[in-house]
Amino acid sequence: MRALVIEDEAHLRKTIVATLREEGFAADHCEDGEEGLYKALNWDYDVILLDVMLPKMSGWQVLEAIRAEKETPILMLTARDGIQDRVRGLNQGADDYLPKPFDLLEMVARARAIARRSFGRGNPVLTLNNIEVNTASRTITKDGELIELTAREYAIVELFALKKDEVVTREYLYEHLFDENEDSLSNMLDVYIYKLRQKFGKNFITTLRGQGYVVRSNTSA
Amino acid sequence: MIPKSIRGRIQIWHTTLLTVIVAVLLTAFYLNQGEILERELDARLAAPIANMIPQFMPPPPPEVFYGGTPPLTYDRYPMHRVSETPQERRQRFEIQVLTHLDPRLYLAVLDGEGTINYASQNAPSVIPAVDDRPFRPNEHALILRENGNNREAIHVGPRGYNLVIGGSKSIIYRELARLRWILSIVGLLIVVSGHWIGWWLAGISLRPIGDITETAQKISTGDLSHRINTADTESELGAMAEVLNETFDQLEDAINQQIRFTSDASHELRTPISVILASCQYTLLRERDSETYRDALQTCEHSAQHIRRLVDALLELARVDSGEFELIKTQADIADAVNPSVRMLKKLADEKSITLYVGAVTCTGMFDIYRIQQVLINLLSNAIKFTPEGGKISINVGTQLDNCLIMVKDSGMGIYPEIIPRLFDRFYRTSKNKRIADKTNTGLGLAITKAIVDAHGGSIQVESEVGVGTLFTVTLPRSEPASLQDLST
């Protein structure tokens, strides 16, 4: 899952990004509305955390401009918590609204929830044959047994679970697993896939040559 | 019981007055009409008399007759036709006279002694004679009198003959009774319709008051968007309504400003609080290295300082708003405030390689010199904030008539003309300057600056050109006006 944080308060932005990364998101950030809009339109984020009071372009304008082109889930963060502000935000197409000061873990939970819903999943526990992905505790069990995974490995499995039976391209994986600062060498992904096959069985991930990968729900791992 | 509503009272007065006027007018008309009717009756009574008089003329002197046939004019002397019996005379008389008389009238002839010589059938039994003594012989006189329920016209002829024509006054009474009815109905109609028209008119003229009350009630419940419709109110009430509308506008402005201020203040406080909260929560999520803890503490300290600045500024403004903002004025020189302020901000200016030009001359007056210093620090730090590296800022103090002038000029980014009117608004920051100002600015500096200058009875002006620079000019009266002196002591 990749998130974009558009927040002008440097300390807050830093903390939010750090928290998101610790919680398994790949996170990009920017400090003004214009840059935020540029990034939001040019990358495919799973969730955008958008402040309202921004330099150059207000959060409302950014929201409107994003909604004109994209359906990316947006969580508005703002110190204005009047009912009118919330209603306005939701009416303009925000997916959720979090008034400042907020609880970091609540912010993460909301960001995760709206991202998950954008995949059409309401249940925080994703099932993939005999595998269960708990997006809340970020743990994966296979036949009821906990599988030890790194954060990145978990993120990959979570993506496959969200997009089960769909072809997932390597580009899609790169875009949703790594943030803009990470050096995403192509063989890194191969390494992860290899390790996941070791942990979940050879047939867990099917390679479609020239297209990408697919995790089929009917194949028993 | 007198009702409390204006409409009710107007109505009572209106109806009472209308009733009295109508009653007086109709009574006068009625009385007048009665008199007219009486006079008409009199005229009706008197009219036949004129026709009859010749018949009661004395007979012609006998020598006029030389025998033979009497002249044709003989008929004019009916009472004295020699050759007829009283019976015949009576018949002839009745034919000649009574046929011309209104059947409702009666006729009687009385002789000199008061005996009724002749009376028509409808005549009353008692008809007193009129004494002819006040009249000269051969004089004709017409007397009008009452006789019981009758009115009589009496021709007092020569030799005491009375020719009486009378008529019952019941005709008049009937007429008057009818008139009374008509007048009562007319009067009632006028009063009733007048009452309703008055009610309606009072309603129309009082409707604006009702509207005003209704609007005021709506506003008193907290919905300040309502206004009185002044389009169709009368001029007097229209003026009042407009004044009220203006008051409502001001009230709404004041309340909105208050709401905005409260909302802005809470917003400004929430931002550093959310920074503190987020840093603490993030740091406490798991074990961190010492550098992370240090970072978090620094962030918290920084935010707490910002909150302190904000709270101080808010308290200061609260004092201004509640009128507790007091100046401690002493005989002071503005130049004495300039030097410490410049010293204080010199380092900040040096960091951005900004040159400060100080051209202070003395200007003494009654000032709160610490507040003036606050003004200078505010203006100067703003100037440094908005002036790019290597820029220039000049501070000048001057005298102009009875005023001291403080001028702070920078070669900064300038202020857009549309922003200038709102520059001194609390928390007013444009998105354009937010980024630069956010670090240490509370958004209240210029509002406080203006409050201090206002408290001194002075004014503050801004001239600015985008990309060239800005000049703030503070004008302070050296000797304060008497009224302000009273306020400050």
Side-chain angles (χ1 to χ4, degrees):
Chain A
M1 295 257 208
R2 187 163 167 191
L4 173 64
V5 178
I6 311 174
E7 162 68 58
D8 64 324
E9 219 297 322
H11 296 292
L12 194 59
R13 182 177 64 245
K14 206 175 101 185
T15 313
I16 293 172
V17 169
T19 311
L20 285 173
R21 285 184 180 153
E22 283 187 6
E23 291 295 314
F25 283 88
D28 294 350
H29 56 89
C30 47
E31 58 178 346
D32 66 63
E34 277 176 14
E35 195 188 342
L37 180 62
Y38 173 81
K39 284 187 178 172
L41 295 180
N42 283 281
W43 277 276
D44 195 11
Y45 290 102
D46 295 304
V47 61
I48 296 172
L49 290 88
L50 176 62
D51 186 23
V52 173
M53 297 277 278
L54 291 169
K56 292 186 185 173
M57 200 173 174
S58 85
W60 303 121
Q61 292 169 303
V62 175
L63 175 66
E64 211 180 324
I66 294 174
R67 277 290 168 267
E69 294 192 24
K70 283 190 150 182
E71 295 297 321
T72 315
I74 294 173
L75 171 59
M76 299 288 285
L77 305 175
T78 170
R80 298 209 177 267
D81 75 333
I83 303 288
Q84 282 177 340
D85 291 305
R86 297 185 196 208
V87 170
R88 181 180 171 188
L90 296 173
N91 280 346
Q92 282 192 7
D95 294 82
D96 204 352
Y97 195 100
L98 195 56
K100 286 180 193 171
F102 49 79
D103 224 273
L104 268 186
L105 293 181
E106 184 187 356
M107 179 205 75
V108 172
R110 281 176 190 266
R112 200 172 272 149
I114 61 170
R116 189 178 65 233
R117 276 200 297 273
S118 74
F119 287 95
R121 302 299 177 88
N123 193 337
V125 180
L126 310 168
T127 52
L128 195 62
N129 308 323
N130 54 347
I131 294 167
E132 277 195 354
V133 180
N134 189 328
T135 57
S137 62
R138 296 198 299 128
T139 51
I140 295 176
T141 55
K142 185 185 172 192
D143 298 321
E145 275 179 49
L146 197 71
I147 307 283
E148 289 267 342
L149 292 169
T150 65
R152 192 54 45 82
E153 286 166 357
Y154 166 83
I156 296 173
V157 178
E158 188 189 78
L159 265 185
F160 278 127
L162 288 167
K163 294 183 80 77
K164 67 178 175 187
D165 296 324
E166 283 179 53
V167 176
V168 182
T169 61
R170 290 175 68 86
E171 289 73 29
Y172 183 89
L173 285 171
Y174 277 119
E175 194 159 329
H176 289 262
L177 294 173
F178 302 100
D179 65 51
E180 58 191 348
N181 301 322
E182 280 177 291
D183 183 15
S184 47
L185 290 167
S186 54
N187 71 331
M188 260 172 80
L189 193 58
D190 294 326
V191 172
Y192 286 125
I193 299 287
Y194 171 75
K195 282 186 178 163
L196 286 176
R197 279 186 174 140
Q198 277 190 327
K199 291 182 182 175
F200 290 96
K202 259 192 160 180
N203 300 329
F204 177 59
I205 299 166
T206 315
T207 306
L208 300 174
R209 198 150 294 157
Q211 291 183 64
Y213 305 98
V214 66
V215 173
R216 294 207 173 88
S217 54
N218 56 356
T219 49
S220 174
Chain B
M1 200 186 86
I2 293 168
K4 277 188 176 167
S5 82
I6 296 178
R7 193 181 187 180
R9 264 185 284 178
I10 288 178
Q11 195 55 38
I12 282 182
W13 279 108
H14 166 76
T15 309
T16 310
L17 206 61
L18 186 70
T19 312
V20 169
I21 290 170
V22 166
V24 167
L25 281 178
L26 292 185
T27 308
F29 178 75
Y30 172 77
L31 292 175
N32 186 44
Q33 204 61 23
E35 217 152 282
I36 287 170
L37 283 173
E38 207 155 275
R39 246 178 267 141
E40 263 176 20
L41 180 64
D42 288 349
R44 264 209 323 258
L45 294 173
I49 286 178
N51 295 328
M52 287 176 199
I53 285 170
Q55 308 213 20
F56 296 91
M57 288 304 249
E63 58 267 21
V64 175
F65 300 103
Y66 298 104
T69 353
L72 286 169
T73 53
Y74 187 77
D75 266 358
R76 293 174 60 200
Y77 307 96
M79 303 290 275
H80 304 280
R81 205 170 279 181
V82 186
S83 59
E84 54 188 6
T85 63
Q87 196 64 39
E88 283 171 337
R89 190 190 295 170
R90 187 183 184 93
Q91 275 176 4
R92 184 170 54 80
F93 178 77
E94 285 187 342
I95 290 164
Q96 284 189 342
V97 177
L98 287 184
T99 47
H100 298 295
L101 195 67
D102 186 328
R104 285 175 298 177
L105 304 181
Y106 60 86
L107 181 123
V109 181
L110 285 78
D111 66 11
E113 278 80 43
T115 324
I116 296 171
N117 266 6
Y118 172 81
S120 57
Q121 280 170 348
N122 53 354
S125 51
V126 181
I127 301 173
V130 174
D131 190 0
D132 68 335
R133 274 170 301 182
F135 308 104
R136 280 179 286 155
N138 294 322
E139 193 185 13
H140 296 271
L142 189 71
I143 291 169
L144 293 164
R145 70 164 187 205
E146 308 279 318
N147 180 15
N149 198 27
N150 299 312
R151 182 92 179 151
E152 293 177 341
I154 301 150
H155 177 249
V156 184
R159 289 182 294 161
Y161 266 92
N162 283 185
L163 173 61
V164 179
I165 291 182
S168 173
K169 278 167 78 181
S170 60
I171 305 168
I172 299 176
Y173 293 149
R174 270 203 302 279
E175 195 82 358
L176 284 178
R178 213 178 59 139
L179 191 66
R180 271 200 304 277
W181 261 108
I182 291 169
L183 291 183
S184 306
I185 289 166
V186 166
L188 201 67
L189 280 177
I190 291 173
V191 169
V192 168
S193 56
H195 175 86
W196 284 114
I197 289 169
W199 183 249
W200 177 66
L201 279 175
I204 283 184
S205 45
L206 291 175
R207 192 184 306 143
I209 293 181
D211 289 351
I212 290 167
T213 311
E214 203 179 318
T215 309
Q217 270 168 353
K218 278 180 192 161
I219 287 171
S220 73
T221 58
D223 188 351
L224 285 163
S225 61
H226 290 279
R227 288 293 177 274
I228 300 157
N229 181 11
T230 53
D232 52 14
T233 37
E234 318 304 317
S235 53
E236 293 91 341
L237 286 172
M240 185 179 95
E242 260 161 41
V243 170
L244 280 174
N245 276 348
E246 276 167 31
T247 312
F248 293 152
D249 283 345
Q250 284 173 4
L251 190 66
E252 191 181 13
D253 276 358
I255 289 175
N256 283 345
Q257 213 174 329
Q258 195 59 43
I259 290 169
R260 201 165 48 236
F261 176 66
T262 312
S263 149
D264 284 343
S266 78
H267 173 260
E268 294 295 327
L269 284 168
R270 275 160 199 270
T271 304
I273 289 172
S274 48
V275 170
I276 292 175
L277 198 62
S279 305
C280 293
Q281 285 179 344
Y282 169 76
T283 315
L284 293 173
L285 268 180
R286 51 194 55 124
E287 281 297 315
R288 306 284 182 190
D289 55 25
S290 62
E291 201 185 333
T292 312
Y293 287 124
R294 180 182 297 278
D295 263 7
L297 284 174
Q298 265 173 358
T299 303
C300 289
E301 197 249 350
H302 175 96
S303 296
Q305 293 280 20
H306 186 67
I307 292 173
R308 188 176 68 177
R309 276 195 298 274
L310 261 173
V311 171
D312 285 350
L314 284 170
L315 277 175
E316 192 115 297
L317 283 173
R319 262 183 240 125
V320 171
D321 289 343
S322 66
E324 287 169 37
F325 188 75
E326 272 180 32
L327 297 177
I328 304 157
K329 288 188 180 179
T330 51
Q331 187 70 28
D333 189 345
I334 300 270
D336 292 344
V338 174
N339 296 326
S341 314
V342 170
R343 265 201 306 279
M344 211 178 279
L345 294 166
K346 185 88 174 67
K347 194 168 158 261
L348 210 63
D350 286 347
E351 279 172 14
K352 290 178 81 178
S353 315
I354 292 169
T355 323
L356 292 178
Y357 296 93
V358 184
V361 297
T362 59
C363 186
T364 52
M366 291 297 288
F367 304 116
D368 185 335
I369 201 70
Y370 293 102
R371 294 292 188 183
I372 299 297
Q373 196 172 322
Q374 202 180 338
V375 167
L376 274 162
I377 291 169
N378 276 339
L379 292 178
L380 211 50
S381 59
N382 266 348
I384 293 169
K385 236 170 264 168
F386 294 106
T387 300
E389 299 241 342
K392 281 180 277 186
I393 296 170
S394 68
I395 306 112
N396 282 291
V397 177
T399 313
Q400 185 198 57
L401 301 174
D402 284 335
N403 296 319
C404 286
L405 298 184
I406 304 170
M407 285 161 289
V408 178
K409 192 179 179 186
D410 65 50
S411 62
M413 62 207 292
I415 305 163
Y416 287 91
E418 66 268 23
I419 293 166
I420 290 178
R422 299 194 56 194
L423 206 59
F424 298 99
D425 287 3
R426 295 165 190 191
F427 293 125
Y428 185 74
R429 274 181 267 172
T430 60
S431 58
K432 287 188 178 70
N433 70 21
K434 181 175 188 254
R435 200 167 159 189
I436 296 166
D438 211 15
K439 295 286 190 284
T440 52
N441 203 359
T442 55
L444 296 170
L446 281 177
I448 292 171
T449 300
K450 188 169 187 303
I452 294 170
V453 173
D454 286 348
H456 276 91
S459 63
I460 183 163
Q461 276 101 33
V462 190
E463 289 163 54
S464 188
E465 201 177 324
V466 174
V468 176
T470 306
L471 169 64
F472 279 89
T473 308
V474 176
T475 310
L476 297 167
R478 303 175 71 170
S479 50
E480 52 203 318
S483 59
L484 280 172
Q485 207 157 23
D486 292 344
L487 279 175
S488 63
T489 48

